[in-house]
């Protein structure tokens, strides 16, 4: 069985070159394009493209047909990080081990860089839909999961909840949307692209819900237990901003217990996929890494 690091080498080789070419060459000197690339090409674990790549391989969907959606998703994710780091949001100075976009280019250009990545991401998707209108549902799903019904909706709950003790149900809704929605896009997009909208889609939706919650619970734990050098981003933010998290509500031991429950949920879904004849080895490795990571 290959390690997570070995898996990401393959998935990064699949996507990285395309990420360097998302804007036309004649725009390379534009300050907003430079700021967009600064954040887009800053590295990171590339979890979402990795999940999309191995989900597609498991389902037998052509990874080259999925590639534009992985590129678009990574652009959407990066735009959300740029905006999330702004002083009007989380006010962060460090991202992926580097100064945040607004610390390098200023708040105005950082705002434009995020907008630029978002708009260009959907331009790329529409180009695919024009060539093959069977991909329209995939594009519409990406838009829904990144909008007010998904990631933006979660961020809205997050900002409006600062300084208050929110109910557990609201915490789960917040994280299913803010963190889980783009992970759902990553894991399920190959179903929409490949026309597999039966039991496989429902199982992968369920898997993504467990993965998203496990990812966020581990983030909450690392915000307390780790440091900025290891994570490549600021720690202690949740306590600083008086945010409700899985740690603040359940305590560290309780958060670890919740994490284990979500991992168990992942494994049950993966087991069902095995019963259906799918090879889940790579996805199992990724889930294991996400639940045990230290950065």
């Amino acid at each position: 069985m290959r390690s997570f690091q070995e898996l990401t080498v393959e998935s990064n080789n699949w996507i990285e070159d395309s990420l360097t070419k998302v804007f036309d060459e004649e725009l390379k000197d534009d300050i907003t394009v430079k700021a967009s690339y600064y954040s887009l090409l800053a590295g990171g674990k590339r979890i979402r493209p990795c999940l999309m790549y191995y989900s597609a391989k498991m389902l037998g969907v052509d990874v080259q047909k999925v590639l534009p959606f992985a590129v678009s998703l990574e652009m959407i994710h990066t735009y959300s990080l740029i905006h999330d780091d702004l002083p009007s949001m989380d006010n962060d100075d460090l991202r992926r081990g580097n100064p945040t976009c607004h610390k390098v280019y200023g708040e105005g250009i950082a705002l434009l860089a995020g907008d630029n990545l978002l708009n260009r991401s959907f331009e790329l998707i529409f180009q695919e839909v024009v060539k093959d209108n069977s991909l329209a549902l995939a594009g519409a799903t990406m838009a829904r999961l990144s909008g007010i019904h998904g990631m933006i909706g979660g961020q809205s709950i997050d900002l409006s909840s600062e300084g208050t003790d929110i109910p557990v149900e609201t915490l789960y809704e917040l994280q299913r949307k803010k963190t889980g929605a783009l992970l759902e896009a990553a894991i399920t997009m190959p179903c929409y692209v490949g026309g597999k909208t039966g039991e496989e889609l429902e199982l992968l939706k369920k898997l993504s819900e467990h993965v998203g919650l496990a990812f966020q619970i581990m983030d909450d734990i690392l915000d307390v237990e780790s440091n900025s050098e290891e994570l490549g981003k600021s720690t202690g933010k949740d306590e600083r901003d008086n945010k409700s998290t899985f740690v603040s509500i359940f305590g560290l031991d309780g958060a670890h217990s919740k994490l284990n429950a979500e991992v168990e949920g992942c494994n049950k879904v993966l087991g069902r996929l095995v019963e259906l004849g799918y090879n889940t080895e790579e996805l199992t490795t990724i889930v294991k890494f996400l639940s045990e990571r230290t950065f």
Side-chain angles (χ1 to χ4, degrees), residues 14-275:
W14 169 67
I15 194 174
E16 212 63 38
D17 185 59
S18 295
L19 291 175
T20 68
K21 300 173 182 176
V22 295
F23 298 108
D24 296 335
E25 179 67 16
E26 60 264 29
L27 295 172
K28 65 180 181 180
D29 293 326
D30 182 274
I31 189 65
T32 297
V33 170
K34 287 182 177 181
S36 301
Y37 274 134
Y38 172 80
S39 293
L40 183 63
L41 304 180
K45 293 182 284 294
R46 301 283 192 230
I47 292 293
R48 290 151 194 83
C50 183
L51 283 166
M52 196 181 295
Y53 179 77
Y54 288 106
S55 176
K57 290 194 72 175
M58 181 195 72
L59 293 169
V61 175
D62 183 358
V63 294
Q64 290 310 112
K65 193 172 182 181
V66 170
L67 180 58
F69 292 88
V71 171
S72 175
L73 181 59
E74 192 65 4
M75 293 170 75
I76 292 168
H77 174 57
T78 302
Y79 115 76
S80 74
L81 298 181
I82 293 173
H83 283 188
D84 198 43
D85 290 335
L86 288 169
S88 58
M89 301 278 273
D90 276 4
N91 193 21
D92 251 319
D93 296 342
L94 191 67
R95 173 70 67 178
R96 292 170 173 169
N98 297 307
T100 48
C101 190
H102 71 272
K103 297 300 292 186
V104 177
Y105 290 94
E107 292 179 37
I109 293 298
L111 185 64
L112 288 178
D115 294 344
N116 186 37
L117 287 165
L118 175 60
N119 281 275
R120 179 59 175 159
S121 72
F122 281 105
E123 186 179 356
L124 296 176
I125 286 178
F126 275 118
Q127 287 174 359
E128 298 305 309
V129 173
V130 167
K131 290 185 288 186
D132 181 356
N133 60 22
S134 72
L135 298 174
L137 180 58
T141 301
M142 184 83 83
R144 180 178 178 83
L145 291 172
S146 60
I148 195 64
H149 296 286
M151 180 191 67
I152 290 176
Q155 184 74 334
S156 179
I157 297 171
D158 192 21
L159 286 175
S160 64
S161 301
E162 283 188 7
T164 63
D165 294 325
I166 61 175
V168 171
E169 295 78 10
T170 303
L171 176 66
Y172 273 94
E173 180 188 5
L174 188 167
Q175 303 302 359
R176 283 192 186 99
K177 290 180 176 179
K178 182 179 177 181
T179 302
L182 293 193
L183 289 170
E184 179 182 335
I187 293 171
T188 64
M189 201 53 53
C191 284
Y192 296 104
V193 172
K196 295 180 179 290
T197 54
E199 185 177 0
E200 293 92 345
L201 176 58
E202 294 309 310
L203 285 169
L204 289 179
K205 283 182 178 180
K206 192 65 179 176
L207 177 64
S208 66
E209 182 176 330
H210 289 303
V211 169
L213 286 169
F215 188 92
Q216 184 57 52
I217 293 168
M218 180 55 79
D219 254 13
D220 290 353
I221 292 170
L222 291 175
D223 189 66
V224 175
E225 294 186 336
S226 190
N227 58 67
S228 59
E229 288 73 23
E230 290 178 322
L231 289 182
K233 61 181 181 180
S234 302
T235 56
K237 296 185 301 177
D238 296 331
E239 184 176 4
R240 179 198 72 188
D241 297 334
N242 195 21
K243 287 187 177 182
S244 294
T245 68
F246 285 95
V247 173
S248 70
I249 290 178
F250 297 106
L252 273 173
D253 288 344
H256 279 287
S257 178
K258 294 292 183 184
L259 173 64
N260 292 336
E262 297 304 332
V263 173
E264 183 179 346
C266 289
N267 291 333
K268 284 183 179 178
V269 174
L270 291 168
R272 175 57 185 157
L273 286 165
V274 170
E275 291 174 359

Side-chain angles (χ1 to χ4, degrees), residues 3-15:
S3 68
F4 173 77
Q5 288 72 23
E6 290 171 322
L7 295 181
T8 56
V9 168
E10 183 176 327
S11 60
N12 286 350
N13 286 339
W14 169 67
I15 194 174

